[in-house]
Amino acid sequence: MTGHVFHPGHQELHGVTIVLETLGSRTYVGRFHSQDERGVELHDVGVHDALAGGTSKEEFLRQCNRFGIRPEHRDLLVPSNDVASIRRLVDAIG
Amino acid sequence: MPYPPALVAPMREEMTRMGARELTSSAEVDATLGDQKGTMLVFVNSVCGCAAGNARPALHFALQHGVRPQQVVTVFAGQDVEATARARQYFAEYQPSSPSIALLRDGEVVHFVHRHQIEGRAPQDVAADLKAAFDRHFAVAV
C-alpha cells in the first residue's frame, strides 16, 4: 500500500511491525514508532544476534511471523548510523 | 485502563452484528473454549485503528465465504481484560497481539493471524487469507 499512511499524522510506517537490519550482527523486529536524526524508535522489540549462535536470522523471522514477536525491549532507539535497512515483517517473510 | 463503555459499544456491536458471541469473563471463556469441539474462530478485538479499518471489515468479508467456522466468538483486549487473558491461555504458544484471530478445530489452534499480518493491509486481502484458511482447515472432505 505505497503511500498509505496507516496512522494519519504520523510517519508512513507508524504502528507497523518492521524488520530493522543493522550494520552489525543484530536484527530487530518491532513496531515502528518514529525515525529522525537520532535514529529509529521501536516498541515491543524482538532481537536476533547472528553472533549469539542458535537459530538463523531467516528462521528467527519465520518464527516471529508464525508465533509473534517475543519482546526483549519495550522501547528501543536504534542509532541512525547503525541502521542498514527497514522492511515490513510481512515483506521480509515473502 | 479500559475505555468508557459507550465509546467501545459500537466496536462490540460490529462484532455481534456479524454473529460473533462476546465472551466477557473467564468463566464464559472456559465454558466455550474448554473441551471445544468442531470449528471455531476467536477474534481478539481492539480499540486500535487496524481493528476498525482492517480486521473487523476483513472478518465481515471472510464470513460471507461458503466455508466458515461453526462458531465465532470474541474477546475485547484492553476492555474485558480477564476474559482476554484467559482466552490467550488457549493459544499460549502465540505471542499476544490485538487485533488477532485464532482458528480452532477440536480445541487445537490450526491457524493464527497476528496483528502484523493485518496492519496496513486491505481488508479484502486479509479476508482472502482467512477464506483460504477456512478452506484449508474447516472444509469437510466428501
Side-chain angles (χ1 to χ4, degrees):
Chain A
M1 300 185 72
T2 305
H4 171 78
V5 178
F6 181 47
H7 290 156
H10 294 277
Q11 292 168 310
E12 181 173 352
L13 287 174
H14 183 265
V16 173
T17 303
I18 58 104
V19 178
L20 188 156
E21 300 204 50
T22 68
L23 295 171
S25 60
R26 291 189 161 208
T27 298
Y28 299 107
V29 179
R31 245 180 22 259
F32 181 99
H33 180 71
S34 64
Q35 182 172 18
D36 60 21
E37 67 282 357
R38 295 175 307 137
V40 178
E41 189 175 354
L42 303 175
H43 297 311
D44 300 326
V45 186
V47 183
H48 178 268
D49 190 335
L51 296 180
T55 58
S56 67
K57 180 177 68 181
E58 290 72 22
E59 180 59 21
F60 168 74
L61 294 178
R62 275 195 293 273
Q63 294 289 316
C64 286
N65 189 53
R66 180 170 179 195
F67 294 108
I69 296 105
R70 189 181 300 277
E72 294 182 36
H73 302 277
R74 179 89 174 89
D75 307 292
L76 183 73
L77 178 69
V78 183
S80 291
N81 61 7
D82 195 28
V83 177
S85 67
I86 297 174
R87 293 178 290 170
R88 292 170 188 254
L89 173 58
V90 288
D91 294 335
I93 295 302
Chain B
M1 166 135 1
Y3 285 80
L7 187 76
V8 299
M11 305 171 196
R12 294 182 185 277
E13 288 164 10
E14 190 175 348
M15 293 302 303
T16 54
R17 275 200 307 274
M18 285 186 245
R21 183 160 56 90
E22 279 197 287
L23 306 176
T24 59
S25 69
S26 291
E28 286 182 337
V29 169
D30 285 340
T32 303
L33 294 180
D35 198 29
Q36 184 259 328
K37 300 293 184 200
T39 61
M40 177 181 284
L41 182 151
V42 183
F43 186 95
V44 181
N45 205 358
S46 165
V47 297
C48 87
C50 59
N54 309 72
R56 291 195 297 268
L59 182 62
H60 171 77
F61 291 135
L63 292 177
Q64 313 304 311
H65 192 48
V67 178
R68 47 169 290 166
Q70 293 165 323
Q71 293 188 73
V72 179
V73 299
T74 181
V75 293
F76 206 138
Q79 303 301 306
D80 301 322
V81 176
E82 175 198 290
T84 303
R86 189 68 179 150
R88 283 174 168 154
Q89 290 179 5
Y90 287 89
F91 29 88
E93 66 181 317
Y94 298 88
Q95 292 294 313
S97 68
S98 57
S100 58
I101 302 166
L103 305 186
L104 286 82
R105 185 178 192 99
D106 296 333
E108 289 209 12
V109 179
V110 293
H111 186 80
F112 199 93
V113 182
H114 296 274
R115 180 187 192 276
H116 73 259
Q117 292 159 328
I118 296 170
E119 61 198 12
R121 298 181 68 209
Q124 292 85 351
D125 293 341
V126 179
D129 289 351
L130 273 174
K131 290 175 188 176
F134 292 172
D135 286 337
R136 194 159 59 247
H137 300 292
F138 294 165
V140 178
V142 289

